[in-house]
Each structure stands twice: as structure tokens, then as C-alpha cells.
Amino acid sequence: MGPAARLAAVLALLALRAGEPARAAARGDTFSALTSVARALAPERRLLGLLRRYLRGEEARLRDLTRFYDKVLSLHEDSAIPVSNPLLAFTLIKRLQSDWRNVVHSLEASENIQALKDGYEKVEQDLPAFEDLEGAARALMRLQDVYLLNVKGLARGVFQRVTGSVVTDLYSPRRLFSLTADDCFQVGKVAYDMGDYYHAIPWLEEAVSLFRGSYGDWNTEDEASLEDALDYLAFAYFQAGNVSHALSLSQEFLLYNPDNRRMARNVLKYEKLLADGPNHMVAEAVIQRPNVPHLQTRDTYEGLCQTLGSQPTHYQVPSLYCSYETNSSPYLLLQPVRKEVIHLDPYMILFHDFVSDSEAQKIRELAEPWLQRSVVASGEKQLPVEYRISKSAWLKDTADPVLLTLDRRIAAVTGLDVKPPYAEYLQVVNYGIGGHYEPHFDHATSPTSPLYRMKSGNRIATFMIYLSSVEAGGATAFIYANLSVPVVKNAALFWWNLHRSGEGDGDTLHAGCPVLIGDKWVANKWIHEHGQEFRRPCSSSPED
């Protein structure tokens, strides 16, 4: 091993040991919380260090090779030196018999790359898994759907909603992060592998377009090529019913790879189909967006998300108002809360500046080490699902004084008993890439729900605190109330889940819209029926 390679290996080992305590989140769910994505920066910084040391080793090796080249070249350029010179003859023979062999078969290059490979293998356990790549790709498709984003715009780093001929800028990043052809190919391939040609085709189209523009240039980090993109796109169009376009793409593929027998057979197959059935001559395939059986309110939900948060003002509805509120609580006499009634049926209140910046930060810090993939109740089980992408943690009120203070404040503004078992521990949630929670109820809708294991009744009310702001997206959409509440940092949203009769309020169906840009944190305090009998008396009328 050469001195440069040995130095690279030693430095790589030291770097890995120095970074050993900083472990990333569990592999396979990095995409489900932005705090996990942020932690993934640490192993990449370590990889950058390894690559820098590899490059320095290679630079030293190339400088040495350049020196050898210049030395030999100068001898060939100096025609005045006769071959009859025994010293020249000896060095010529030695070079051809020994020096060139040592240069060609030098182990220094393989030693340098081996040090890089060894370092990568040691850090590999901290890197995102393939499931994370799939999850991130599905998140981009989700944002594409919910916010009607243009794929070409996304590839350029621009967030634009396209409806017909109208283009709306949803967010203007300070710095554009464009996608490469290989990036677009990977998103399209994830959709393709799911049989989702609605999403696969535009992403693969963009990949083909970008690969065409850079054909002949090869990037070391790319996994795919123009031929790969044409291959997948052609079959996606065939599956979608557009045989003529599948044929033209396959013929283009054969221009670059004429010896590919599989593609040649596909061309013959497509030509036969077109000859046998003229109805296959389709200019553009009409591909339906994949159906989501469990989401009956998709159009309404996405329409509310696209408003990026909207609600009526008291000028439109006079019974909606803002006030400073003490709720007859001594706890609030010196510092009343800023209360805004934003909806009447169901009754919803937004408490502005309910927590301070320092309190919000403290709650996030307490929760972060305990974050795990969020689950939903499925019968008597709790399962992670695609329609809820986030990580959450439960914090006992005794974990820190700030949580006890928070509970007292919630009890004061709501007039409800929030001590266990009459309320659940605080649930803190961090949303990931395109993080969302599709329409759902907070209260139990089945007698077998795990919520009843607390033996304190159903969830009578929800108190949700926004612990961060977001730059775009992430609103809370109430489907049947036709209301979208934007993320308001440090504010708290309160609503009743149950009627006074104890029946669930169907109008509280709500969703956490996908986060377009930003890091969304919320804290939920769910309050149960038991313990509230004299605080919110029951009613025999189902309408109360």
C-alpha cells in the first residue's frame, strides 16, 4: 500500500470512530419525519470526508503519473539524444521491461478505492434503506396530486400548480434544487413497479427528455441511462394502451442498442398489434389516476388543501369573533389567551400564541429521541399505514415541568379535566417528506377501538398545538365543514369530537394536508368523556 493510500485509510478509520455515537433513525422509515431526514445529513458528511481523502490520494497518484509521463515525453521530444547512448538504451529497456508494467499494474489505485469502499461499508448501516427511497418518491407523487404540481416544474426545482392553461407559483425557493435525469427515472420507476402508469409516465418522460439532452455525458453516480428510461417508458405506454407511442420509443431504443433482442421482439409485437387493430393508433393515452377505495372524499380534501389554509372571517360571518379570554380561571387573569372562534358547527377555536417559542422548542427536544413511525387503529391493532406519514412520541406530564404547565393552561382555557386517565399523554408528531394524514376522525368509531382500553370513554375533544411553522402546505382540512385551517406557529386549535349526547360528530372528519415546504410539528392532547360530566354536561338531544 502506498503512503497516500495508507494515510487515507487511517484518516477514514479515525473519522468513522469519531462519528460513531451519531446514529441515524431506524432504516426504512427515514422519509416519515423531517427530523430523521435531517439526521441523514450526518452520515453523508462522513462520506464526503471519505471521498475528499480518496480524491487527495488519487490526486497524489495522478501527479506522480504525470511526472512519469512528462519525463518519458521529454526523452521522445529530444531527438538530439542518440539511442546509441548506453545509458539511454539501458533506461529505455528498463522502462519497457519494468517501469511501464509497474505503472499499469500499480496497486495504489485499487488501494485508494478500497479505503473508500471500506469506509462506506462501515457507515452503510446509518444510511437510508431502499424503502426510504420508495417512500420519498411516493411523497413527491402525493404532492404532485394534492397540489396539482407540474412534473417539469418540479424537475427544475419550481413548485407550480397547473390547471388548464393557468400556472400558479405555490412557492418560490430561495435556491433552486433541480432534479437530474436519474432522479426523475427513480421516481418513475417506483411508480412503474407499483403498476401506477399515471405517475410513471410523466416522470419517465422527463427522465427521457433530460437524458436526451445530455446523451454522451455519463455521471458516475447515475444508476440509469437513456436506454433504461426509454425501455421503461415504452412498456408503460404499452400497458396504458398507447401502442403507437410504445413502438416509436422502442425503435428509438434500438438506435442506441441495436443488438437488444428483447426490444426487437417488442417492436415486432407492437407492429403486429397496430397492423391487426387500427384502434391502437392512439396519439395520447388517457390514463386514469389510481383509485383510492378508502378515500371517499378525495376531491374535497385535496381542494381544501390547495387553498393552503382558508377560513371565513368575522366580516363574512358576524357570529365569529376574536377576544381576550380568561374563561373565569384565576390562572388566566394576568395573561388572558387570544381566542378566535373560527367555526360554529362544529365549534372550533384557535388560541393564538398559546405556547412560547422556547416552550415549543423544549417540547420538540423532549419528543425527538422517542419518535417512532405513527400508527393508526385497525380493529384491535395499531399499524403503520401509507395514508399517515409521520413519526410521533408520547410524553408523560411528569417528564418535564413545561408539560405540567402546558396541562394547566389547557385545563384553564377548555374548562376540562386533562389529568390522566381523563386525558391522554401529549402526543408530539413530526411530519416527513410530503407528510400527511388523510381524512379521519379523532374519536373512536368502533367499540373494538384500542381507545376504550383506557376505560375513560371516547375522545370528547381535541386540543392540537402547532409547534412550528411551514412555508407551504400542511393545513388542517375539515372535510364536511368545508374549512381549511393553516399552520399558525405556537397557536392551538380546539374542537369537540362528540355531541353532548355522546354521539360522534361526523362533521369533524379532518385531515393533515401534505407538507409542501417546511418542517411541521404538532402536539395533540386528546381529552376523554370521563371526568367531564360536570364540566360539559350531557344532553338527551342528538343535535346538541
Side-chain angles (χ1 to χ4, degrees):
M1 179 184 289
R6 284 196 295 273
L7 178 61
V10 170
L11 290 175
L13 184 61
L14 290 174
L16 286 171
R17 286 180 176 171
E20 194 67 25
R23 292 290 180 188
R27 301 182 73 203
D29 62 4
T30 301
F31 70 96
S32 59
L34 275 196
T35 184
S36 301
V37 177
R39 281 200 295 268
L41 289 170
E44 185 169 50
R45 281 194 289 269
R46 291 157 68 186
L47 288 174
L48 277 174
L50 292 170
L51 184 58
R52 182 178 63 249
R53 285 183 279 278
Y54 166 76
L55 291 173
R56 287 175 178 171
E58 284 294 278
E59 287 168 356
R61 186 176 70 87
L62 291 175
R63 281 197 300 271
D64 192 48
L65 288 175
T66 301
R67 175 199 52 77
F68 176 78
Y69 171 83
D70 291 341
K71 181 182 80 170
V72 177
L73 180 64
S74 67
L75 292 173
H76 281 263
E77 289 177 341
D78 190 355
S79 57
I81 300 179
V83 179
S84 58
N85 184 322
L87 297 178
L88 178 63
F90 170 79
T91 56
L92 172 62
I93 293 170
K94 176 180 176 293
R95 282 199 311 274
L96 294 176
Q97 196 282 325
S98 174
D99 294 3
W100 276 101
R101 184 177 67 248
N102 291 338
V103 166
V104 172
H105 297 289
S106 170
L107 295 178
E108 195 169 7
S110 60
E111 289 171 348
N112 285 346
I113 195 64
Q114 191 60 47
L116 181 62
K117 287 179 178 178
D118 291 344
Y120 175 81
E121 288 173 1
K122 290 176 181 176
V123 79
E124 190 174 11
Q125 60 187 331
D126 292 336
L127 304 181
F130 180 70
E131 290 82 355
D132 291 306
L133 177 60
E134 287 183 318
R138 288 195 298 268
L140 288 181
M141 296 177 224
R142 184 183 314 124
L143 294 173
Q144 172 191 345
D145 288 343
V146 173
Y147 297 112
L148 302 178
L149 298 178
N150 178 265
V151 170
K152 284 191 174 294
L154 284 174
R156 299 195 312 272
V158 176
F159 297 84
Q160 293 177 326
R161 180 193 300 147
V162 179
T163 50
S165 60
V166 179
V167 178
T168 306
D169 288 329
L170 297 184
Y171 171 73
S172 299
R174 290 184 294 273
R175 177 184 173 190
L176 290 180
F177 293 92
S178 58
L179 299 179
T180 66
D182 192 64
D183 294 335
C184 294
F185 173 81
Q186 293 299 336
V187 178
K189 185 176 180 299
V190 168
Y192 177 96
D193 289 341
M194 295 189 298
D196 176 6
Y197 305 112
Y198 174 87
H199 290 104
I201 286 176
W203 284 101
L204 291 172
E205 284 275 19
E206 188 62 21
V208 165
S209 175
L210 292 172
F211 274 128
R212 283 174 180 151
S214 62
Y215 192 75
D217 296 330
W218 181 72
N219 296 324
T220 305
E221 67 273 17
D222 286 354
E223 184 174 325
S225 64
L226 174 58
E227 290 92 323
D228 294 321
L230 288 168
D231 190 0
Y232 278 87
L233 182 59
F235 196 72
Y237 268 114
F238 170 69
Q239 290 292 91
N242 193 334
V243 180
S244 60
H245 202 37
L247 173 61
S248 64
L249 291 166
S250 301
Q251 290 169 332
E252 181 181 354
F253 176 99
L254 288 176
L255 293 176
Y256 302 107
N257 189 354
D259 298 327
N260 191 294
R261 295 182 179 180
R262 177 180 56 82
M263 190 60 75
R265 288 194 298 270
N266 285 349
V267 167
L268 293 175
K269 172 183 171 182
Y270 299 153
E271 288 175 340
K272 186 175 186 305
L273 284 171
L274 291 172
D276 293 345
N279 58 319
H280 288 296
M281 297 293 292
V282 182
E284 183 177 354
V286 179
I287 312 166
Q288 296 296 321
R289 180 177 166 188
N291 186 33
V292 184
H294 70 270
L295 190 51
Q296 305 297 324
T297 57
R298 182 169 70 181
D299 291 344
T300 304
Y301 155 58
E302 294 181 352
L304 288 168
C305 291
Q306 288 162 20
T307 64
L308 303 183
S310 65
Q311 61 216 41
T313 67
H314 66 279
Y315 299 109
Q316 298 166 306
V317 183
S319 51
L320 302 178
Y321 64 93
C322 297
S323 65
Y324 283 96
E325 192 70 46
T326 63
N327 202 26
S328 302
S329 169
Y331 188 80
L332 300 175
L333 282 177
L334 293 179
Q335 190 174 1
V337 294
R338 296 169 60 203
K339 171 182 174 181
E340 179 184 2
V341 178
I342 61 173
H343 205 267
L344 298 177
D345 188 17
Y347 186 67
M348 282 184 267
I349 300 172
L350 193 65
F351 295 105
H352 292 269
D353 297 319
F354 187 78
V355 295
S356 65
D357 286 341
S358 60
E359 287 174 324
Q361 181 178 348
K362 182 64 175 180
I363 294 169
R364 295 197 302 267
E365 289 173 354
L366 290 170
E368 186 168 351
W370 307 102
L371 289 173
Q372 293 184 343
R373 177 72 184 270
S374 297
V375 296
V376 299
S378 177
E380 296 186 2
K381 296 181 179 180
Q382 302 272 342
L383 300 172
V385 289
E386 180 65 21
Y387 59 83
R388 185 183 189 189
I389 300 299
S390 62
K391 282 188 175 181
S392 55
W394 297 87
L395 299 180
K396 291 185 177 181
D397 52 0
T398 55
D400 191 272
V402 73
L403 301 178
L404 288 171
T405 301
L406 187 66
D407 276 358
R408 283 197 295 268
R409 198 177 302 152
I410 295 173
V413 299
T414 63
L416 300 174
D417 191 340
V418 300
K419 295 189 295 294
Y422 306 129
E424 298 172 40
Y425 295 130
L426 192 71
Q427 186 199 54
V428 181
V429 184
N430 180 221
Y431 289 85
I433 305 171
H436 72 138
Y437 193 174
E438 287 180 358
H440 63 282
F441 294 105
D442 280 357
H443 61 274
T445 56
S446 167
T448 62
S449 171
L451 287 177
Y452 288 115
R453 292 176 189 163
M454 293 180 66
K455 301 185 185 301
S456 57
N458 208 342
R459 288 173 173 168
I460 193 173
T462 294
F463 200 93
M464 183 172 69
I465 307 167
Y466 296 110
L467 299 175
S468 67
S469 59
V470 297
E471 295 179 74
T476 306
F478 288 83
I479 311 305
Y480 297 131
N482 195 31
L483 175 72
S484 182
V485 183
V487 175
V488 180
K489 187 175 186 291
N490 296 345
L493 185 63
F494 173 80
W495 69 89
W496 299 105
N497 292 308
L498 307 179
H499 293 293
R500 286 184 180 271
S501 62
E503 294 295 317
D505 186 345
D507 287 341
T508 62
L509 183 73
H510 64 286
C513 295
V515 179
L516 186 57
I517 302 291
D519 188 9
K520 181 182 176 183
W521 288 79
V522 300
N524 297 306
K525 173 66 76 170
W526 283 301
I527 306 163
H528 284 239
E529 291 176 284
H530 296 184
Q532 322 305 336
E533 292 85 352
F534 300 104
R535 300 169 185 268
R536 194 196 191 215
C538 296
S539 170
S540 59
S541 172
E543 297 179 359
D544 288 347

